[in-house]
Amino acid sequence: MLVNMKNLLEKAQKENYAVGSFSVANMEMVLGVLKAAEELNAPAILQIAEVRLKQSPLEIIGPLMVAAAKSAKTPVAVHFDHGKTLEKISQALELGFTSVMFDGSHLPLIENIAQTNAVIEKAKAYGASVEAEIGCVGGSEDGSEDIAINCTSPDEALTFADKTGVDALAIAIGNAHGNYKEEPKLRFDILEKVAQRVSAPLVLHGGTGISEQDFVRCSKTGIRKINIATATFDSVENCVRACYNNNDIKGYYDLQAAEVQGAYENVKRHMLIFGSDNKA
Ligand code: 13P
């Protein structure tokens, strides 16, 4: 069923686990997420980032994501990731997304607060949740920009949370989008300080390449939403390649099944690590 993201994260906060937020680019990936969620009786978030709309137009994939969430047997929120423009954020809200992110991480604190508050005001009319970012997660969602990591200041995170009342707050603790060039070293000291000061559910972007132990530690230290994109895209690609190599693809629908399977395997693996199985 389609749900508000805030409700999913509140339950995760109470019961101390994280909900996976999975980026999708087509129907096959959406089906893979739903299959894993239903099999594990897990909540899930389906998301797409503004920079990916070149490949998957919002007016086409948005209704598909919302319809999929409505049809799911477990609670599923539909989230607009890294919203940059009020125009696209408004479009996502109109299409029935139950959550939007405004990414003002590149802005001075005061400006980030002001623009986030404008998005919160807009989202209120739709009953949708809002995520914002403080500090800078490295890279960019589609790898087009090499944004440097700028770890979140716990004091700024507190000011930001107080002045916005945002539903979910993405923080930077050494995490980056895409495949890491070297093993990520997460700053758990910063995460602990932010988690002590801020009561809003925290969000970890750049999930691909983070170790299982680090995921578990994050999910026990205030991280309630973990974004996974590249790992799913890679898993889909690898599954299709393996099926071709094994001569398992005899026609288009075998190819389609391999795509669903690749997404499903990656999503299921992460849901189990995040402890969100049986939390529907
Ligand atoms: P990855 O591509 O590193 O998994 O990052 C996903 C993400 O944070 C989307 O916002």
Side-chain angles (χ1 to χ4, degrees), residues 148-167:
I149 297 172
N150 175 19
C151 284
T152 303
S153 143
D155 288 335
E156 283 194 5
L158 177 60
T159 305
F160 190 88
D162 279 352
K163 295 211 180 297
T164 60
V166 77
D167 299 306

Side-chain angles (χ1 to χ4, degrees), residues 28-199:
E28 288 69 25
M29 292 186 206
V30 170
L31 293 176
V33 175
L34 256 52
K35 184 173 175 208
E38 291 180 352
E39 188 180 308
L40 294 179
N41 192 30
I45 301 166
L46 289 170
Q47 66 177 15
I48 186 156
E50 184 161 342
V51 286
R52 299 288 186 180
L53 301 179
K54 299 183 285 296
Q55 292 97 348
S56 311
L58 189 56
E59 62 277 18
I60 297 173
I61 195 153
L64 192 155
M65 291 164 73
V66 172
K70 284 182 179 160
S71 78
K73 294 190 183 70
T74 66
V76 177
V78 178
H79 176 71
F80 190 57
D81 189 29
H82 289 287
K84 289 168 173 281
T85 61
L86 204 51
E87 181 208 337
K88 284 292 165 193
I89 290 174
S90 304
Q91 194 185 350
L93 290 167
E94 275 294 316
L95 288 170
F97 280 48
T98 55
S99 175
V100 292
M101 176 187 188
F102 169 67
D103 181 356
S105 57
H106 54 289
L107 298 170
L109 181 65
I110 301 294
E111 195 53 31
N112 191 359
I113 290 171
Q115 294 198 27
T116 299
N117 277 332
V119 171
I120 289 173
E121 201 46 45
K122 176 109 213 160
K124 216 183 269 169
Y126 297 84
S129 314
V130 176
E131 174 184 334
E133 180 173 322
I134 179 91
C136 270
V137 172
S140 67
E141 213 277 346
D142 64 349
S144 63
E145 282 182 278
D146 193 16
I147 297 167
I149 297 172
N150 175 19
C151 284
T152 303
S153 143
D155 288 335
E156 283 194 5
L158 177 60
T159 305
F160 190 88
D162 279 352
K163 295 211 180 297
T164 60
V166 77
D167 299 306
L169 185 59
I171 58 166
I173 53 168
N175 45 322
H177 295 102
N179 285 309
Y180 288 88
K181 293 183 192 88
E182 49 198 71
E183 204 188 319
K185 294 212 169 24
L186 297 186
R187 293 282 307 270
F188 284 100
D189 55 325
I190 297 179
L191 175 57
E192 279 163 21
K193 285 194 186 118
V194 177
Q196 276 160 13
R197 287 175 172 71
V198 173
S199 59

